[in-house]
Coordinates of all heavy atoms in Angstrom, one line a residue:
M234 N 5.5 11.6 21.7 CA 6.6 11.8 20.9 C 6.3 12.4 19.6 O 5.4 12.0 18.8 CB 7.3 10.4 20.7 CG 8.7 10.5 20.0 SD 9.4 8.9 19.7 CE 9.7 8.3 21.2
A235 N 7.1 13.3 19.1 CA 6.9 14.0 17.8 C 7.2 13.1 16.7 O 8.1 12.2 16.8 CB 7.8 15.2 17.6
R236 N 6.3 13.1 15.6 CA 6.5 12.2 14.5 C 6.7 13.1 13.3 O 5.9 14.1 13.1 CB 5.3 11.3 14.2 CG 5.1 10.3 15.4 CD 6.0 9.0 15.3 NE 5.5 8.1 16.2 CZ 5.9 8.0 17.5 NH1 6.7 9.0 18.0 NH2 5.5 7.0 18.3
S237 N 7.5 12.7 12.3 CA 7.6 13.4 11.0 C 7.0 12.6 9.9 O 6.7 13.1 8.8 CB 9.1 13.8 10.7 OG 9.8 12.5 10.7
V238 N 6.8 11.3 10.1 CA 6.2 10.5 9.1 C 5.2 9.4 9.8 O 5.6 8.9 10.8 CB 7.3 9.6 8.3 CG1 6.6 8.7 7.4 CG2 8.2 10.5 7.6
V239 N 4.1 9.2 9.1 CA 3.1 8.3 9.6 C 2.8 7.4 8.4 O 2.4 7.9 7.4 CB 1.9 8.8 10.2 CG1 0.9 7.7 10.5 CG2 2.2 9.7 11.5
A240 N 3.0 6.1 8.5 CA 2.6 5.1 7.4 C 1.3 4.4 7.8 O 1.2 4.0 9.0 CB 3.8 4.1 7.2
V241 N 0.4 4.4 6.9 CA -0.9 3.8 7.1 C -1.1 2.6 6.1 O -0.9 2.8 4.9 CB -2.0 4.8 6.9 CG1 -3.4 4.1 7.2 CG2 -1.9 5.9 8.0
L242 N -1.5 1.4 6.7 CA -1.7 0.3 5.8 C -3.1 0.4 5.3 O -4.1 0.2 6.0 CB -1.5 -1.0 6.5 CG -1.8 -2.3 5.8 CD1 -0.8 -2.5 4.6 CD2 -1.7 -3.5 6.7
A243 N -3.3 0.8 3.9 CA -4.7 1.0 3.4 C -5.3 -0.4 3.2 O -4.6 -1.4 2.8 CB -4.5 1.7 2.1
Q244 N -6.6 -0.5 3.5 CA -7.3 -1.8 3.1 C -8.0 -1.5 1.8 O -8.8 -0.6 1.7 CB -8.3 -2.0 4.3 CG -7.6 -2.5 5.5 CD -7.0 -3.8 5.4 OE1 -7.7 -4.8 5.2 NE2 -5.7 -3.9 5.6
L245 N -7.9 -2.5 0.9 CA -8.5 -2.4 -0.4 C -9.8 -3.1 -0.4 O -10.0 -4.1 0.2 CB -7.6 -3.0 -1.5 CG -6.2 -2.3 -1.5 CD1 -5.3 -3.1 -2.4 CD2 -6.2 -1.0 -1.9
R246 N -10.8 -2.6 -1.1 CA -12.2 -3.1 -1.0 C -12.8 -3.1 -2.4 O -13.0 -2.0 -2.9 CB -13.0 -2.4 0.0 CG -14.4 -2.9 0.3 CD -15.0 -2.3 1.4 NE -14.7 -2.9 2.6 CZ -15.6 -3.9 3.1 NH1 -16.7 -4.2 2.5 NH2 -15.3 -4.5 4.3
A247 N -13.2 -4.2 -3.0 CA -13.8 -4.2 -4.2 C -15.2 -3.5 -4.1 O -15.9 -3.7 -3.1 CB -14.0 -5.6 -4.8
R248 N -15.6 -2.8 -5.2 CA -16.9 -2.3 -5.2 C -17.9 -3.4 -5.5 O -18.0 -4.0 -6.5 CB -17.1 -1.2 -6.2 CG -16.4 0.0 -5.9 CD -16.8 1.1 -6.9 NE -15.9 2.3 -6.7 CZ -15.8 3.3 -7.6 NH1 -16.3 3.1 -8.7 NH2 -15.1 4.3 -7.3
T249 N -18.8 -3.7 -4.5 CA -19.8 -4.8 -4.6 C -21.2 -4.3 -4.9 O -22.1 -5.0 -5.2 CB -19.8 -5.6 -3.4 OG1 -20.1 -4.8 -2.2 CG2 -18.4 -6.2 -3.2
Q250 N -21.4 -2.9 -4.8 CA -22.6 -2.4 -5.1 C -23.3 -2.7 -6.4 O -22.5 -2.7 -7.4 CB -22.8 -0.8 -4.9 CG -22.2 -0.3 -3.6 CD -20.7 0.0 -3.7 OE1 -20.0 -0.7 -4.4 NE2 -20.2 1.0 -2.9
G251 N -24.5 -3.1 -6.5 CA -25.0 -3.5 -7.8 C -24.9 -5.0 -8.1 O -25.5 -5.5 -9.1
L252 N -24.0 -5.7 -7.4 CA -23.7 -7.1 -7.7 C -24.2 -8.0 -6.4 O -24.1 -9.1 -6.4 CB -22.2 -7.4 -7.9 CG -21.7 -6.6 -9.1 CD1 -20.2 -6.9 -9.2 CD2 -22.4 -7.0 -10.4
D253 N -24.7 -7.2 -5.4 CA -25.1 -8.0 -4.2 C -26.0 -9.1 -4.4 O -25.9 -10.2 -3.8 CB -25.7 -7.0 -3.2 CG -24.7 -5.9 -2.8 OD1 -23.5 -6.2 -2.8 OD2 -25.1 -4.8 -2.4
G254 N -27.0 -8.9 -5.3 CA -28.0 -9.9 -5.5 C -27.5 -11.2 -6.2 O -28.2 -12.2 -6.2
L255 N -26.3 -11.1 -6.7 CA -25.7 -12.4 -7.3 C -25.2 -13.4 -6.4 O -25.0 -14.6 -6.7 CB -24.5 -11.9 -8.3 CG -25.0 -11.1 -9.5 CD1 -23.7 -10.7 -10.3 CD2 -26.0 -11.9 -10.4
G256 N -25.0 -12.9 -5.2 CA -24.5 -13.9 -4.1 C -23.0 -14.3 -4.3 O -22.7 -15.5 -4.1
L257 N -22.2 -13.5 -5.0 CA -20.9 -13.9 -5.3 C -20.0 -14.1 -4.0 O -20.0 -13.3 -3.2 CB -20.2 -12.8 -6.1 CG -20.7 -12.7 -7.6 CD1 -20.0 -11.5 -8.2 CD2 -20.4 -14.0 -8.4
P258 N -19.3 -15.2 -3.9 CA -18.5 -15.4 -2.7 C -17.4 -14.5 -2.6 O -16.9 -14.0 -3.7 CB -18.0 -16.9 -2.9 CG -18.4 -17.4 -4.1 CD -19.3 -16.4 -4.8
M259 N -16.9 -14.1 -1.5 CA -15.9 -13.1 -1.3 C -14.6 -13.8 -0.8 O -14.7 -14.8 -0.2 CB -16.3 -11.9 -0.3 CG -17.5 -11.3 -0.6 SD -17.6 -10.4 -2.2 CE -16.5 -9.0 -1.7
H260 N -13.5 -13.1 -0.9 CA -12.2 -13.5 -0.2 C -11.6 -12.4 0.4 O -11.8 -11.2 -0.1 CB -11.3 -14.4 -1.1 CG -10.6 -13.5 -2.2 ND1 -9.3 -13.8 -2.6 CD2 -10.9 -12.4 -2.9 CE1 -8.9 -12.9 -3.4 NE2 -9.9 -12.1 -3.7
E261 N -10.9 -12.7 1.5 CA -10.3 -11.6 2.3 C -8.8 -11.9 2.5 O -8.5 -12.4 3.6 CB -11.1 -11.4 3.5 CG -10.8 -10.1 4.3 CD -11.9 -9.8 5.3 OE1 -12.7 -10.7 5.5 OE2 -11.8 -8.7 5.9
P262 N -7.8 -11.6 1.6 CA -6.5 -11.9 1.9 C -6.0 -11.1 3.0 O -6.3 -9.9 3.2 CB -5.8 -11.4 0.6 CG -6.8 -11.2 -0.4 CD -8.1 -11.0 0.3
P263 N -5.2 -11.7 4.0 CA -4.8 -11.0 5.2 C -4.1 -9.7 4.9 O -3.2 -9.7 4.0 CB -3.8 -12.0 5.9 CG -4.1 -13.3 5.2 CD -4.7 -13.0 3.9
N264 N -4.5 -8.6 5.6 CA -3.8 -7.3 5.5 C -3.8 -6.7 4.1 O -3.1 -5.9 3.7 CB -2.3 -7.4 5.9 CG -2.2 -7.8 7.3 OD1 -2.9 -7.4 8.1 ND2 -1.1 -8.6 7.5
I265 N -4.8 -7.2 3.3 CA -5.0 -6.6 1.9 C -6.4 -5.9 1.8 O -6.5 -4.8 1.6 CB -4.7 -7.6 0.8 CG1 -3.2 -8.1 0.8 CG2 -5.0 -7.0 -0.5 CD1 -2.8 -9.1 -0.2
G266 N -7.4 -6.8 2.1 CA -8.7 -6.2 1.9 C -9.7 -7.3 1.5 O -9.6 -8.5 1.9
L267 N -10.7 -6.8 0.7 CA -11.9 -7.7 0.4 C -12.2 -7.6 -1.0 O -12.4 -6.6 -1.6 CB -13.1 -7.3 1.3 CG -14.4 -8.1 1.2 CD1 -14.2 -9.4 1.9 CD2 -15.5 -7.4 1.9
G268 N -12.3 -8.9 -1.7 CA -12.6 -8.9 -3.1 C -13.5 -10.1 -3.5 O -13.7 -10.9 -2.6
F269 N -13.9 -10.2 -4.6 CA -14.7 -11.4 -5.1 C -13.7 -12.5 -5.3 O -12.6 -12.4 -5.8 CB -15.3 -11.1 -6.4 CG -16.5 -10.1 -6.3 CD1 -16.3 -8.9 -6.9 CD2 -17.6 -10.3 -5.5 CE1 -17.3 -7.9 -6.9 CE2 -18.6 -9.4 -5.4 CZ -18.5 -8.1 -6.1
A270 N -14.1 -13.7 -4.8 CA -13.3 -14.9 -5.0 C -13.6 -15.5 -6.4 O -14.6 -15.4 -6.9 CB -13.7 -16.0 -4.0
S271 N -12.4 -15.9 -7.1 CA -12.6 -16.4 -8.4 C -11.4 -17.4 -8.6 O -10.4 -17.4 -8.0 CB -12.6 -15.3 -9.4 OG -11.2 -14.9 -9.6
G272 N -11.6 -18.2 -9.7 CA -10.6 -19.2 -10.1 C -9.8 -18.5 -11.1 O -9.9 -17.2 -11.4
I273 N -8.8 -19.2 -11.7 CA -7.7 -18.6 -12.6 C -8.3 -17.8 -13.8 O -8.0 -16.6 -14.0 CB -6.8 -19.7 -13.1 CG1 -6.0 -20.3 -12.0 CG2 -5.8 -19.1 -14.2 CD1 -4.9 -19.3 -11.4
P274 N -9.3 -18.3 -14.5 CA -9.8 -17.5 -15.7 C -10.8 -16.5 -15.2 O -11.5 -15.9 -16.0 CB -10.4 -18.5 -16.6 CG -10.9 -19.6 -15.8 CD -10.0 -19.6 -14.6
G275 N -11.0 -16.2 -13.9 CA -12.0 -15.2 -13.4 C -13.4 -15.8 -13.2 O -14.2 -15.1 -12.8
A276 N -13.4 -17.2 -13.4 CA -14.8 -17.8 -13.1 C -15.1 -17.8 -11.6 O -14.2 -18.0 -10.8 CB -14.7 -19.3 -13.6
T277 N -16.4 -17.5 -11.4 CA -16.8 -17.6 -10.0 C -17.6 -18.8 -9.6 O -17.9 -19.6 -10.6 CB -17.6 -16.3 -9.6 OG1 -18.9 -16.5 -10.3 CG2 -17.0 -15.1 -10.0
E278 N -18.1 -19.1 -8.5 CA -19.0 -20.2 -8.1 C -20.3 -20.0 -8.6 O -21.1 -20.9 -8.6 CB -18.9 -20.4 -6.6 CG -17.7 -21.0 -6.1 CD -17.7 -21.2 -4.5 OE1 -18.8 -21.1 -3.9 OE2 -16.6 -21.4 -4.0
V279 N -20.6 -18.8 -9.0 CA -22.0 -18.5 -9.6 C -21.9 -18.7 -11.1 O -21.1 -18.1 -11.8 CB -22.4 -17.1 -9.3 CG1 -23.8 -16.7 -9.9 CG2 -22.4 -16.8 -7.8
P280 N -22.7 -19.7 -11.7 CA -22.7 -19.9 -13.1 C -23.0 -18.7 -13.9 O -23.8 -17.9 -13.7 CB -23.8 -21.0 -13.3 CG -23.9 -21.7 -12.0 CD -23.7 -20.5 -10.9
G281 N -22.2 -18.5 -14.9 CA -22.3 -17.4 -15.9 C -21.7 -16.1 -15.4 O -22.0 -15.0 -16.1
V282 N -21.0 -16.1 -14.3 CA -20.4 -14.8 -13.7 C -18.9 -14.9 -13.6 O -18.4 -15.9 -13.0 CB -21.1 -14.4 -12.4 CG1 -20.4 -13.2 -11.8 CG2 -22.6 -14.3 -12.4
W283 N -18.2 -14.2 -14.4 CA -16.7 -13.9 -14.3 C -16.4 -12.7 -13.7 O -17.1 -11.7 -13.8 CB -16.1 -14.1 -15.6 CG -16.0 -15.5 -16.2 CD1 -14.9 -16.2 -16.3 CD2 -17.1 -16.4 -16.8 NE1 -15.1 -17.5 -17.0 CE2 -16.4 -17.6 -17.3 CE3 -18.5 -16.1 -17.0 CZ2 -17.2 -18.6 -17.9 CZ3 -19.1 -17.1 -17.6 CH2 -18.5 -18.3 -18.0
V284 N -15.2 -12.6 -13.0 CA -14.8 -11.3 -12.6 C -13.2 -11.2 -13.0 O -12.6 -12.2 -13.2 CB -14.8 -11.2 -11.0 CG1 -16.3 -11.1 -10.6 CG2 -14.2 -12.4 -10.3
A285 N -12.8 -9.9 -13.1 CA -11.4 -9.7 -13.5 C -10.8 -8.4 -12.9 O -11.7 -7.5 -12.5 CB -11.3 -9.7 -15.0
G286 N -9.5 -8.4 -12.8 CA -8.9 -7.1 -12.3 C -9.1 -6.9 -10.9 O -9.1 -7.9 -10.1
N287 N -9.2 -5.7 -10.4 CA -9.2 -5.4 -8.9 C -10.4 -5.8 -8.2 O -10.3 -5.9 -7.0 CB -9.0 -3.8 -8.8 CG -7.6 -3.3 -9.0 OD1 -7.4 -2.1 -9.2 ND2 -6.6 -4.2 -9.1
A288 N -11.4 -6.2 -9.0 CA -12.6 -6.8 -8.3 C -12.3 -8.1 -7.6 O -12.8 -8.4 -6.5 CB -13.7 -7.0 -9.3
T289 N -11.3 -8.8 -8.1 CA -10.9 -10.1 -7.5 C -9.4 -10.1 -7.1 O -9.1 -10.7 -6.0 CB -11.2 -11.2 -8.5 OG1 -10.7 -12.4 -7.9 CG2 -10.5 -11.1 -9.8
D290 N -8.5 -9.4 -7.8 CA -7.1 -9.4 -7.5 C -6.8 -7.9 -7.0 O -6.5 -7.1 -7.8 CB -6.3 -9.8 -8.7 CG -4.7 -9.8 -8.4 OD1 -4.4 -9.4 -7.3 OD2 -4.0 -10.2 -9.3
L291 N -6.9 -7.7 -5.7 CA -7.0 -6.3 -5.2 C -5.8 -5.5 -5.5 O -5.8 -4.3 -5.5 CB -7.3 -6.4 -3.7 CG -8.6 -7.0 -3.3 CD1 -8.7 -7.4 -1.9 CD2 -9.7 -6.0 -3.6
T292 N -4.6 -6.2 -5.5 CA -3.3 -5.4 -5.7 C -2.9 -5.4 -7.2 O -1.8 -4.8 -7.5 CB -2.2 -6.0 -4.8 OG1 -2.0 -7.3 -5.2 CG2 -2.6 -5.8 -3.3
A293 N -3.7 -6.0 -8.1 CA -3.2 -6.0 -9.5 C -3.1 -4.6 -10.1 O -3.9 -3.8 -9.8 CB -4.2 -6.9 -10.3
Q294 N -2.0 -4.3 -10.9 CA -2.0 -3.1 -11.6 C -2.6 -3.2 -13.0 O -3.4 -4.2 -13.2 CB -0.4 -2.7 -11.7 CG 0.2 -2.6 -10.3 CD 0.6 -1.2 -10.0 OE1 1.4 -0.6 -10.7 NE2 0.0 -0.6 -9.0
V295 N -2.4 -2.1 -13.8 CA -3.2 -2.1 -15.1 C -2.9 -3.3 -16.0 O -3.9 -3.9 -16.5 CB -2.8 -0.8 -15.8 CG1 -3.4 -0.9 -17.2 CG2 -3.4 0.4 -15.1
G296 N -1.6 -3.7 -16.2 CA -1.3 -4.7 -17.0 C -2.0 -6.1 -16.7 O -2.7 -6.7 -17.5
P297 N -1.8 -6.6 -15.5 CA -2.4 -7.9 -15.1 C -4.0 -7.8 -15.0 O -4.6 -8.8 -15.4 CB -1.9 -8.0 -13.6 CG -0.6 -7.3 -13.5 CD -0.7 -6.1 -14.4
S298 N -4.5 -6.6 -14.7 CA -6.0 -6.4 -14.7 C -6.5 -6.6 -16.1 O -7.5 -7.3 -16.4 CB -6.3 -5.1 -14.2 OG -6.0 -5.0 -12.8
A299 N -5.8 -6.0 -17.1 CA -6.3 -6.1 -18.5 C -6.1 -7.6 -19.0 O -7.0 -8.1 -19.7 CB -5.4 -5.1 -19.3
A300 N -4.9 -8.2 -18.6 CA -4.7 -9.6 -19.0 C -5.8 -10.5 -18.4 O -6.3 -11.4 -19.1 CB -3.3 -10.0 -18.5
A301 N -6.1 -10.2 -17.2 CA -7.2 -11.0 -16.5 C -8.5 -10.9 -17.2 O -9.3 -11.8 -17.4 CB -7.4 -10.7 -15.1
G302 N -8.8 -9.7 -17.7 CA -10.1 -9.5 -18.5 C -10.1 -10.2 -19.8 O -11.0 -10.9 -20.1
A303 N -8.9 -10.2 -20.5 CA -8.8 -10.9 -21.7 C -9.0 -12.5 -21.5 O -9.6 -13.1 -22.2 CB -7.4 -10.7 -22.4
L304 N -8.4 -12.9 -20.4 CA -8.5 -14.3 -20.1 C -9.9 -14.7 -19.7 O -10.4 -15.8 -20.2 CB -7.6 -14.6 -18.9 CG -7.3 -16.1 -18.4 CD1 -6.8 -17.0 -19.7 CD2 -6.5 -16.3 -17.3
A305 N -10.6 -13.9 -18.9 CA -12.0 -14.2 -18.7 C -12.8 -14.2 -20.0 O -13.7 -15.1 -20.1 CB -12.5 -13.1 -17.7
G306 N -12.5 -13.2 -20.9 CA -13.3 -13.2 -22.1 C -13.1 -14.5 -22.9 O -14.1 -15.0 -23.5
A307 N -11.8 -15.0 -23.0 CA -11.5 -16.2 -23.6 C -12.2 -17.4 -23.1 O -12.8 -18.3 -23.8 CB -10.0 -16.4 -23.7
D308 N -12.3 -17.4 -21.7 CA -13.0 -18.5 -21.0 C -14.5 -18.4 -21.3 O -15.2 -19.4 -21.5 CB -12.7 -18.4 -19.5 CG -13.1 -19.8 -18.8 OD1 -12.6 -20.8 -19.4 OD2 -13.8 -19.8 -17.9
I309 N -15.1 -17.2 -21.3 CA -16.5 -17.0 -21.6 C -16.8 -17.5 -23.0 O -17.7 -18.3 -23.3 CB -16.9 -15.6 -21.5 CG1 -16.9 -15.2 -20.0 CG2 -18.3 -15.4 -22.1 CD1 -16.9 -13.6 -19.8
N310 N -15.9 -17.1 -24.0 CA -16.0 -17.7 -25.3 C -16.0 -19.2 -25.4 O -16.7 -19.8 -26.1 CB -14.9 -17.0 -26.2 CG -15.1 -17.3 -27.7 OD1 -16.2 -17.0 -28.2 ND2 -14.2 -18.0 -28.3
R311 N -15.0 -19.8 -24.7 CA -14.9 -21.2 -24.6 C -16.3 -21.8 -24.2 O -16.7 -22.8 -24.8 CB -13.8 -21.6 -23.7 CG -13.6 -23.2 -23.5 CD -12.5 -23.4 -22.5 NE -12.8 -23.1 -21.1 CZ -13.5 -23.9 -20.3 NH1 -13.9 -25.1 -20.7 NH2 -13.8 -23.5 -19.1
M312 N -16.9 -21.3 -23.1 CA -18.1 -21.9 -22.5 C -19.2 -21.7 -23.6 O -20.1 -22.6 -23.7 CB -18.4 -21.2 -21.3 CG -17.4 -21.4 -20.1 SD -17.2 -23.1 -19.6 CE -18.8 -23.3 -18.7
L313 N -19.3 -20.6 -24.3 CA -20.4 -20.4 -25.2 C -20.2 -21.4 -26.4 O -21.2 -21.9 -26.9 CB -20.3 -19.0 -25.7 CG -20.7 -17.9 -24.7 CD1 -20.4 -16.5 -25.3 CD2 -22.2 -18.1 -24.3
A314 N -18.9 -21.7 -26.8 CA -18.7 -22.6 -28.0 C -19.1 -24.0 -27.5 O -19.7 -24.7 -28.3 CB -17.2 -22.6 -28.3
I315 N -18.8 -24.3 -26.2 CA -19.2 -25.6 -25.7 C -20.8 -25.8 -25.7 O -21.4 -26.8 -26.1 CB -18.7 -25.9 -24.3 CG1 -17.1 -26.1 -24.4 CG2 -19.3 -27.1 -23.6 CD1 -16.5 -26.1 -23.0
A316 N -21.4 -24.6 -25.2 CA -22.9 -24.7 -25.1 C -23.5 -24.8 -26.5 O -24.5 -25.5 -26.8 CB -23.4 -23.4 -24.4
D317 N -22.9 -24.1 -27.5 CA -23.4 -24.1 -28.9 C -23.3 -25.6 -29.5 O -24.2 -26.1 -30.1 CB -22.7 -23.2 -29.8 CG -23.2 -21.8 -29.7 OD1 -24.2 -21.6 -29.0 OD2 -22.5 -20.9 -30.2
T318 N -22.1 -26.2 -29.3 CA -21.8 -27.6 -29.7 C -22.8 -28.5 -29.1 O -23.3 -29.4 -29.8 CB -20.3 -27.9 -29.4 OG1 -19.5 -26.9 -29.9 CG2 -20.0 -29.2 -30.1
D319 N -23.0 -28.4 -27.8 CA -23.9 -29.3 -27.1 C -25.3 -29.1 -27.7 O -26.0 -30.2 -27.9 CB -24.0 -29.0 -25.5 CG -22.9 -29.5 -24.8 OD1 -22.1 -30.4 -25.3 OD2 -22.6 -29.2 -23.6
A320 N -25.8 -27.9 -27.8 CA -27.1 -27.8 -28.4 C -27.3 -28.3 -29.8 O -28.3 -29.0 -30.1 CB -27.4 -26.2 -28.4
A321 N -26.2 -28.2 -30.7 CA -26.2 -28.7 -32.0 C -26.3 -30.3 -32.0 O -27.0 -30.9 -32.7 CB -25.0 -28.2 -32.8
L322 N -25.5 -30.8 -31.0 CA -25.5 -32.4 -30.9 C -26.8 -32.8 -30.4 O -27.3 -33.8 -30.9 CB -24.4 -32.7 -29.9 CG -22.9 -32.7 -30.5 CD1 -21.9 -33.0 -29.4 CD2 -22.8 -33.8 -31.7
H323 N -27.4 -32.2 -29.4 CA -28.7 -32.6 -28.9 C -29.7 -32.5 -30.1 O -30.6 -33.5 -30.2 CB -29.1 -31.7 -27.8 CG -28.6 -32.1 -26.5 ND1 -27.7 -31.4 -25.8 CD2 -28.9 -33.2 -25.7 CE1 -27.3 -32.1 -24.7 NE2 -28.1 -33.2 -24.6
E324 N -29.7 -31.5 -30.9 CA -30.6 -31.3 -32.0 C -30.4 -32.4 -33.0 O -31.4 -33.0 -33.5 CB -30.4 -30.0 -32.7 CG -31.4 -29.6 -33.8 CD -32.8 -29.5 -33.2 OE1 -32.9 -29.1 -32.0 OE2 -33.7 -29.8 -34.0
K325 N -29.1 -32.8 -33.3 CA -28.8 -33.9 -34.3 C -29.4 -35.3 -33.7 O -30.0 -36.1 -34.4 CB -27.3 -33.9 -34.4 CG -26.9 -33.0 -35.5 CD -27.0 -33.4 -36.9 CE -26.7 -32.3 -37.8 NZ -27.5 -32.3 -39.1
C326 N -29.1 -35.5 -32.4 CA -29.6 -36.7 -31.8 C -31.1 -36.8 -31.9 O -31.7 -37.9 -32.0 CB -29.2 -36.8 -30.4 SG -27.3 -37.0 -30.2
R327 N -31.8 -35.6 -31.7 CA -33.3 -35.6 -31.7 C -33.8 -36.0 -33.0 O -34.8 -36.6 -33.2 CB -33.9 -34.3 -31.1 CG -34.6 -34.4 -29.9 CD -35.4 -33.3 -29.6 NE -35.3 -32.2 -30.5 CZ -35.6 -30.9 -30.2 NH1 -35.9 -30.6 -28.9 NH2 -35.5 -29.9 -31.0
E328 N -33.1 -35.4 -34.0 CA -33.5 -35.7 -35.4 C -33.3 -37.1 -35.9 O -34.0 -37.7 -36.7 CB -32.7 -34.8 -36.4 CG -33.0 -33.4 -36.4 CD -32.1 -32.5 -37.1 OE1 -31.2 -33.0 -37.8 OE2 -32.3 -31.3 -37.0
A329 N -32.3 -37.8 -35.3 CA -31.9 -39.2 -35.7 C -32.9 -40.2 -35.2 O -33.7 -40.0 -34.3 CB -30.5 -39.5 -35.2
Ligands
FAD567 C1 -3.9 6.0 -6.7 C2 -3.7 4.8 -7.6 C3 -2.6 4.9 -8.5 C4 -2.3 3.8 -9.3 N1 -1.2 3.9 -10.2 C5 -1.0 2.9 -11.0 C6 0.2 3.0 -11.9 O1 0.9 3.9 -11.9 N2 0.2 1.9 -12.8 C7 -0.6 0.8 -12.8 O2 -0.4 -0.1 -13.7 N3 -1.6 0.7 -12.0 C8 -1.8 1.8 -11.1 N4 -3.0 1.7 -10.2 C9 -3.8 0.5 -10.3 C10 -4.8 0.6 -11.4 O3 -5.7 1.8 -11.2 C11 -5.6 -0.7 -11.4 O4 -4.8 -1.8 -11.5 C12 -6.7 -0.8 -12.6 O5 -7.4 0.5 -12.6 C13 -7.6 -2.0 -12.4 O6 -8.4 -1.9 -13.4 P1 -9.9 -2.6 -13.3 O7 -10.5 -2.6 -14.6 O8 -9.8 -3.9 -12.5 O9 -10.7 -1.6 -12.2 P2 -11.1 0.0 -12.5 O10 -10.0 0.6 -13.4 O11 -11.3 0.5 -11.1 O12 -12.4 -0.1 -13.2 C14 -13.6 -0.6 -12.7 C15 -14.7 0.3 -13.3 O13 -16.0 -0.3 -12.9 C16 -16.8 0.8 -12.6 N5 -17.8 0.2 -11.6 C17 -17.7 -0.1 -10.4 N6 -18.9 -0.6 -9.8 C18 -19.8 -0.5 -10.9 C19 -21.2 -0.8 -11.0 N7 -21.9 -1.4 -10.0 N8 -21.8 -0.6 -12.2 C20 -21.0 -0.1 -13.3 N9 -19.7 0.2 -13.2 C21 -19.1 -0.1 -12.0 C22 -15.9 1.9 -11.9 O14 -16.5 3.0 -11.9 C23 -14.7 1.7 -12.8 O15 -14.8 2.6 -13.9 C24 -3.2 2.7 -9.3 C25 -4.4 2.7 -8.5 C26 -4.6 3.8 -7.6 C27 -5.8 3.8 -6.8

C-alpha cells in the first residue's frame, strides 16, 4: 500500500563514552531510550558523581536541562560545605 507519511519513534541514548569506567547505573524508560540513573539533584549511586540534562533526563529541553545543572551544582556545593565542616570539627576534636 502506498504511504505518504511514515512516523518513526526515535530512541534516545545518552553518550556514555568516556564515563564507562565509573560504573554509573543506567535507566531505560519504556519507549524513550537509555540514560544515566540519578536522584533529584542529579546525584548518582557513585559517590562524587552527579549527572544533569539529557544524560539522565532524555527528553528534557534546554530550560529543564540548565535548571538540573544548577541544582546539581548546588548539591555539590552542599556536599563540599558538609565535608569542610566535618574536617574542621575533626581537627578541633583532635586538638581538644
Ligand atoms: C534536533 C533537536 C532539536 C531541539 N530543539 C530544541 C528546542 O527548540 N528547544 C529546546 O529547549 N530544546 C531543544 N532540543 C533539546 C536540547 O538540545 C537539549 O535539551 C539540550 O541540549 C540538553 O542540554 P545538555 O547540556 O543536557 O546536553 P548537550 O547540549 O547535548 O550537551 C552535552 C555536551 O557534552 C559533550 N560530551 C558528550 N560526551 C562527552 C565526553 N565524553 N567528554 C566531553 N564532552 C562530552 C557533547 O559534545 C555536548 O557538547 C533539541 C534537541 C534536538 C536533538
Side-chain angles (χ1 to χ4, degrees):
M234 183 188 294
R236 298 277 191 276
S237 57
V238 175
V239 176
V241 177
L242 179 63
Q244 290 293 298
L245 306 169
R246 182 172 269 271
R248 287 190 185 157
T249 59
Q250 304 91 327
L252 302 175
D253 296 335
L255 295 175
L257 292 170
M259 307 296 292
H260 72 144
E261 197 166 6
N264 295 324
I265 297 180
L267 183 70
F269 293 114
S271 73
I273 294 291
T277 69
E278 286 179 12
V279 179
V282 180
W283 279 256
V284 292
N287 286 162
T289 180
D290 186 352
L291 296 164
T292 58
Q294 299 247 298
V295 168
S298 298
L304 188 59
D308 198 50
I309 292 166
N310 188 56
R311 178 183 70 86
M312 296 298 286
L313 290 173
I315 291 171
D317 280 352
T318 307
D319 278 351
L322 281 173
H323 276 110
E324 189 60 32
K325 281 280 174 216
C326 289
R327 242 192 3 203
E328 288 170 7

